[in-house]
Amino acid sequence: MPRVYIKTFGCQMNEYDSGKMRALLGQGGYVATEDVDDADLVIVNTCSIREKPEQKLASFLGRVLPIKRRRPLTVAVAGCIAQMSGSKLLKQFPTLDLVFGPDSVGRVQSLVDAAQTRRVVDTEFHSDTASYPFPSDLDPDASGRIGALVTIQKGCDNKCTFCIVPSTRGVEVSRPIDEVLAEVRALVARGVRELTLIGQNVNSYGVKLEGHPGFAELLHRVHAVEGVEVLRYLTSHPRDMGPDVVACYRDLPRLASHLHLPVQSGSDRVLRRMKRFYTREVYLDLVRNLKAARPDLVLTTDVIVGFPGETDEDFEATMSLLEEARFEGSFSFSYSPRPGTPALRLLEDAVPPAVVSARLERFQSRQREIQLEAHASLVGHVLPVLVEGPSAHDEGVVCGRTSGFKMVNFPGSHTMMGEWVPVRITRGFANTLRGEAV
Ligand code: SAH
Ligand code: SF4
Ligand code: F3S
């Protein structure tokens, strides 16, 4: 049987798409392999969100393409760089066989077949959004896992000035609720207990479809599916997070006590230039309302440091927001100019790289301290942990997550997998907790 090796960079959308490709290629007889040297087909699912992830493609292809000199191998580039660069990639990499964008994932098998006899590029967006084909086939890897992703939406209609996603993923399309629920039920039937609903802006789910349920109702409906023990979602936009979604934190006990709510900056001036359409005060109000609805809610965020024109004062506003919102985790990045994005016009105000790295380092080190403080305060508490499997590092240790998305390691056996185990926390590190089952 032919073997496919899929390398995935980027966000939850790519991870999910790679799973769909495994499923669709599986129907055509492909078996997934973890070993490039064993593969007949290599697909690299790419990300172009910043320059750094983009560089990973060239180094990956530099390793893989030479294999083609020794034996037959089909090599494909998928994902956001494929969408952005299209046929330019075929010129840049003369032995590359296939380039296809996120909207072509459902056609992966026929594209791979076509690429056996000629070089193929498919970066058409699916123009009829009313019939956008969300593949329903399940990732074969989802069986036997505790958690799984389910897409509820593709694309993004926002125009945050730094962001390339609207041009790589196209317009926002919500997946019909019946399809979402069918996939959730199918996953639960395979033993999945923790569902993460994904999209670039999940809070605007359904708003473009007349009479269609919105995101809060979707949460209620998924929460009601028997067997869903933990419900999570990614990613929220603060502007679109309405009171009905906030109320879900009061009303839905299996909705996880963790919310990833990207803020990007604590300065209103910068937020305006990013076109995020909320202010610091609106964001903090939302945080207060969320914590009123769910006092133990853990908040995490994304931050961009060194957006063009960011002054010391703007950056101090981001630092003070970190204290006020008390994020217990964040992804923070230096601003990376992206082709075709509106923020390129602001580049005459670019912040010097040395200033950006000093700011980033300061943000990250304070963030780390807050995490250590938050985790130290959990020592002695007993928290329910949904066990995911054996720890990757320690024999006789298992790991799992709390509702607040804290990773906990504790001595245990594989028989605990998929169980809720009450664990007394004995030590807090920056990113994980250590404990013992009680
Ligand atoms: N849809 C999500 C974000 C998707 S991109 C949202 O709106 O929150 C994930 C993160 O990458 C963003 O939150 C942002 O912090 C970061 N990011 C996006 N474009 C970037 C750029 N040009 N430079 C640096 N970071 C960027
Ligand atoms: Fe990018 Fe903004 Fe859309 Fe998020 S909401 S994907 S940051 S344009
Ligand atoms: Fe990257 Fe595309 Fe996701 S640019 S972050 S893989 S939507």
Side-chain angles (χ1 to χ4, degrees):
M1 283 214 261
R3 293 174 186 275
V4 56
Y5 175 90
I6 304 182
K7 175 78 185 170
T8 309
F9 296 111
C11 66
Q12 70 276 8
M13 311 306 293
N14 268 10
E15 210 183 299
Y16 180 82
D17 286 349
S18 291
K20 290 291 171 187
M21 290 195 270
R22 275 191 291 272
L24 293 161
L25 290 165
Q27 290 158 12
Y30 276 92
V31 190
T33 172
E34 302 285 306
D35 182 2
V36 177
D37 291 314
D38 209 24
D40 306 285
L41 167 64
V42 171
I43 300 176
V44 48
N45 202 358
T46 58
C47 173
S48 53
I49 197 80
R50 288 171 297 276
E51 198 183 343
K52 256 197 208 146
E54 208 183 311
Q55 287 162 350
K56 291 182 183 162
L57 172 63
S59 70
F60 181 80
L61 289 180
R63 277 193 293 125
V64 168
L65 287 172
I67 301 176
K68 284 172 69 99
R69 284 196 220 113
R70 303 196 300 270
R71 61 176 180 85
L73 174 67
T74 306
V75 181
V77 176
C80 289
I81 301 182
Q83 186 64 43
M84 184 176 82
S85 304
S87 55
K88 273 192 265 166
L89 288 171
L90 293 187
K91 287 206 193 81
Q92 195 183 346
F93 301 102
T95 56
L96 185 63
D97 302 291
L98 168 62
V99 174
F100 63 101
D103 274 16
S104 312
V105 162
R107 290 193 289 272
V108 62
Q109 182 66 65
S110 63
L111 292 170
V112 167
D113 291 344
Q116 303 308 309
T117 51
R118 62 188 168 88
R119 305 179 84 198
V120 178
V121 177
D122 183 352
T123 51
E124 288 297 304
F125 279 122
H126 197 275
S127 52
D128 183 7
T129 53
S131 65
Y132 186 84
F134 290 96
S136 61
D137 316 72
L138 295 190
D139 178 0
D141 285 6
S143 299
R145 291 228 180 119
I146 302 305
L149 306 171
V150 176
T151 202
I152 64 165
Q153 175 189 64
K154 82 112 205 169
C156 181
D157 285 352
N158 287 331
K159 293 184 177 60
C160 306
T161 55
F162 51 81
C163 184
I164 195 152
V165 172
S167 71
T168 64
R169 295 271 165 174
V171 295
E172 180 190 296
V173 182
S174 291
R175 187 182 193 185
I177 190 163
D178 293 339
E179 286 183 32
V180 174
L181 291 169
E183 188 157 318
V184 167
R185 286 193 199 101
L187 286 164
V188 168
R190 293 195 183 190
V192 167
R193 285 141 192 259
E194 179 180 287
L195 274 304
T196 305
L197 308 180
I198 61 169
Q200 288 298 352
N201 184 17
V202 292
N203 297 87
S204 66
Y205 175 80
V207 293
K208 289 206 288 188
L209 299 170
E210 211 170 311
H212 194 277
F215 186 58
E217 185 171 343
L218 178 70
L219 287 177
H220 277 267
R221 299 274 298 273
V222 175
H223 188 270
V225 172
E226 187 155 359
V228 173
E229 294 190 13
V230 185
L231 178 55
R232 303 183 187 277
Y233 59 85
L234 273 176
T235 308
S236 274
H237 192 297
R239 178 197 52 188
D240 297 320
M241 181 124 191
D244 51 351
V245 176
V246 174
C248 288
Y249 286 91
R250 187 168 313 138
D251 302 335
L252 302 180
R254 292 183 296 285
L255 178 61
S257 292
H258 167 232
L259 176 62
H260 186 69
L261 191 60
V263 69
Q264 314 301 355
S265 169
S267 153
D268 286 345
R269 205 180 65 91
V270 174
L271 288 171
R272 217 163 33 238
R273 286 156 65 94
M274 291 175 163
K275 288 215 176 4
R276 292 288 290 184
F277 298 108
Y278 51 84
T279 59
R280 171 197 182 93
E281 231 13 75
V282 165
Y283 185 92
L284 284 169
D285 262 346
L286 182 56
V287 169
R288 278 186 284 272
N289 293 340
L290 284 159
K291 294 229 167 153
R294 181 73 67 87
D296 69 347
L297 187 70
V298 172
L299 264 190
T300 58
T301 200
D302 291 345
V303 160
I304 296 177
V305 170
F307 186 75
E310 182 188 75
T311 62
D312 283 336
E313 198 186 329
D314 292 324
F315 176 66
E316 292 309 328
T318 300
M319 289 300 295
S320 68
L321 184 82
L322 169 60
E323 304 297 333
E324 277 183 62
R326 230 183 135 70
F327 298 115
E328 290 185 39
S330 58
F331 296 111
S332 49
F333 314 98
S334 329
Y335 167 70
S336 173
R338 301 285 70 213
T341 53
L344 295 182
R345 276 185 278 119
L346 307 172
L347 273 181
E348 57 200 34
D349 287 339
V351 183
V355 175
V356 179
S357 19
R359 286 179 188 165
L360 190 63
E361 207 171 296
R362 223 184 105 205
F363 181 88
Q364 289 178 342
S365 90
R366 181 62 193 133
Q367 175 67 75
R368 201 184 143 82
E369 280 171 15
I370 293 179
Q371 282 164 225
L372 282 166
E373 286 162 22
H375 294 172
S377 76
L378 292 173
V379 170
H381 290 244
V382 175
L383 302 175
V385 173
L386 180 59
V387 180
E388 287 174 10
S391 144
H393 311 289
D394 294 316
E395 187 95 8
V397 173
V398 294
C399 65
R401 287 193 189 267
T402 66
S403 171
F405 208 55
K406 306 282 185 191
M407 174 65 80
V408 185
N409 293 293
F410 63 98
S413 78
H414 66 276
T415 55
M416 291 172 167
M417 184 162 157
E419 301 293 319
W420 284 100
V421 177
V423 177
R424 174 167 291 110
I425 305 305
T426 52
R427 213 170 148 192
F429 303 95
N431 294 307
T432 60
L433 301 168
R434 181 92 195 180
E436 53 202 22
V438 295

